[in-house]
């Protein structure tokens, strides 16, 4: 399994291989999974996010990453945008697909219409990024250099605000109404949350082996373990 997200009834995740792979879905209560999209031999699927009707996902290719979308029930896959040479991180609102373009120690926060079109730069940062999220007003991202910094800017662009810092590499950013959630590598992997207004990160889940991605709903945080290839969940306020 790879990177994961959820809606009201299903879990969607990346099942990648050296020669391609699939986007898969399964009921949140458990049960059989099936592939809704298949990556071509150009490269494997890397990351995904969803709206009410579609799954949006990136495909790592030799010269660029394709950003694509597929209906949740499966059908024809279409290219939304073409990104840079490194992995893409994506987030959605009602109109736009937001993503991070990593390039030689700098990163560019961009958006493009969900139906496809020209990308617009919203903010420039240093380091590399391993996560992006959006809500009604803001876009949030993780920039990793000597430390990891969680930052925020308006979705229309403008001033960049620092919300939190951690040591080590942080990644897999997501959010609910009040908090931002992310994973951090140190002594094992810890899943943190921090208020959207900024502050000290709070431990939600500790002592994990290798987390690929996380997602949240009203009650729980979900994550994929790269070593066991299992999907886990825990209450937002507890540590298993």
């Amino acid at each position: 399994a790879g990177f994961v997200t959820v809606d009201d009834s299903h879990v969607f995740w990346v099942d990648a291989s050296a020669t391609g792979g699939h986007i898969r879905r399964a009921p949140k209560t458990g049960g059989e999974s099936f592939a809704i999209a298949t990556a071509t031999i150009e490269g494997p699927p890397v990351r995904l996010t969803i709206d009410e009707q579609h799954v949006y996902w990136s495909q790592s290719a030799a010269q660029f990453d394709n950003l694509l979308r597929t209906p949740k029930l499966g059908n024809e896959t279409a290219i939304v945008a073409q990104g840079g040479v490194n992995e893409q991180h994506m987030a959605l609102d009602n109109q736009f697909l937001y993503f991070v373009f990593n390039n030689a120690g700098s990163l560019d926060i961009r958006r493009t219409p969900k139906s496809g079109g020209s990308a617009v730069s919203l903010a420039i940062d240093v380091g590399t990024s391993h996560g992006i999220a959006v809500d009604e007003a803001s876009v949030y991202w993780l920039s990793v250099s000597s430390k990891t910094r969680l930052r925020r800017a308006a979705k229309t662009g403008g001033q960049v605000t620092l919300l939190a810092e951690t040591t080590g590499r942080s990644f897999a950013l997501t959010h609910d109404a009040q908090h931002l959630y992310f994973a951090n590598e140190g002594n094992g992997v810890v899943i943190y949350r921090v208020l959207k207004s900024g502050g000290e990160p709070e431990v939600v889940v500790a002592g994990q082996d290798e987390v690929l991605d996380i997602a949240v709903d009203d009650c729980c945080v979900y994550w994929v373990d790269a070593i066991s290839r299992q999907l886990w969940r825990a209450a937002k306020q507890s540590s298993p």
Side-chain angles (χ1 to χ4, degrees), residues 5-84:
T5 190
V6 297
D7 64 10
D8 291 341
S9 59
H10 287 81
V11 181
F12 300 82
W13 72 98
V14 170
D15 183 10
S17 69
T19 58
H22 307 279
I23 305 298
R24 305 189 72 88
R25 81 169 196 172
K28 287 167 67 174
T29 53
E32 185 178 359
S33 71
F34 68 94
I36 63 169
T38 300
T40 69
I41 198 169
E42 291 179 356
V46 181
R47 302 182 187 275
L48 79 168
T49 188
I50 58 174
D51 63 13
E52 291 184 357
Q53 296 183 336
H54 292 91
V55 178
Y56 298 78
W57 51 285
S58 63
Q59 181 185 16
S60 179
Q63 297 180 341
F64 50 78
D65 281 356
N66 293 322
L67 303 181
L68 308 106
R69 72 174 187 179
T70 303
K72 286 183 175 179
L73 295 178
N75 205 331
E76 184 176 354
T77 294
I79 294 177
V80 178
Q82 292 179 340

Side-chain angles (χ1 to χ4, degrees), residues 1-239:
F3 297 145
V4 60
T5 190
V6 297
D7 64 10
D8 291 341
S9 59
H10 287 81
V11 181
F12 300 82
W13 72 98
V14 170
D15 183 10
S17 69
T19 58
H22 307 279
I23 305 298
R24 305 189 72 88
R25 81 169 196 172
K28 287 167 67 174
T29 53
E32 185 178 359
S33 71
F34 68 94
I36 63 169
T38 300
T40 69
I41 198 169
E42 291 179 356
V46 181
R47 302 182 187 275
L48 79 168
T49 188
I50 58 174
D51 63 13
E52 291 184 357
Q53 296 183 336
H54 292 91
V55 178
Y56 298 78
W57 51 285
S58 63
Q59 181 185 16
S60 179
Q63 297 180 341
F64 50 78
D65 281 356
N66 293 322
L67 303 181
L68 308 106
R69 72 174 187 179
T70 303
K72 286 183 175 179
L73 295 178
N75 205 331
E76 184 176 354
T77 294
I79 294 177
V80 178
Q82 292 179 340
V85 297
N86 294 309
E87 292 182 353
Q88 299 290 340
H89 302 257
M90 298 175 292
L92 299 170
D93 63 12
N94 290 335
Q95 293 181 287
F96 295 103
L97 171 67
Y98 299 77
F99 61 97
V100 177
F101 178 84
N102 291 319
N103 185 24
S106 66
L107 59 94
D108 188 352
I109 309 302
R110 299 180 178 182
R111 76 178 190 186
T112 189
K114 292 197 293 187
S115 58
S118 299
V120 175
S121 176
L122 304 177
I124 303 295
D125 204 348
V126 295
T128 59
S129 181
H130 297 271
I132 186 171
V134 296
D135 60 15
E136 291 81 1
S138 300
V139 54
Y140 308 86
W141 68 94
L142 296 164
S143 59
V144 181
S145 53
S146 59
K147 296 182 177 180
T148 295
R149 294 173 173 87
L150 175 58
R151 302 188 191 271
R152 178 186 69 206
K155 291 197 297 185
T156 53
Q159 181 178 353
V160 175
T161 301
L162 176 65
L163 301 180
E165 289 185 344
T166 61
T167 58
R169 185 177 75 95
S170 295
F171 55 98
L173 182 65
T174 190
H175 71 101
D176 60 16
Q178 295 183 322
H179 292 89
L180 297 154
Y181 297 77
F182 59 92
N184 178 267
E185 290 179 340
N187 185 15
V189 178
V190 177
I191 296 175
Y192 287 105
R193 71 177 186 179
V194 64
L195 288 168
K196 288 184 175 179
S197 57
E200 188 70 21
E202 172 191 0
V203 174
V204 179
V205 177
Q208 301 305 299
D209 293 323
E210 186 174 341
V211 173
L212 287 178
D213 203 10
I214 59 176
V216 296
D217 61 12
D218 290 342
C219 72
C220 297
V221 56
Y222 302 80
W223 67 98
V224 174
D225 187 288
I227 295 176
S228 68
R229 296 179 64 84
Q230 292 178 325
L231 180 67
W232 294 80
R233 74 175 182 184
K236 288 180 179 178
Q237 291 82 14
S238 68
S239 179

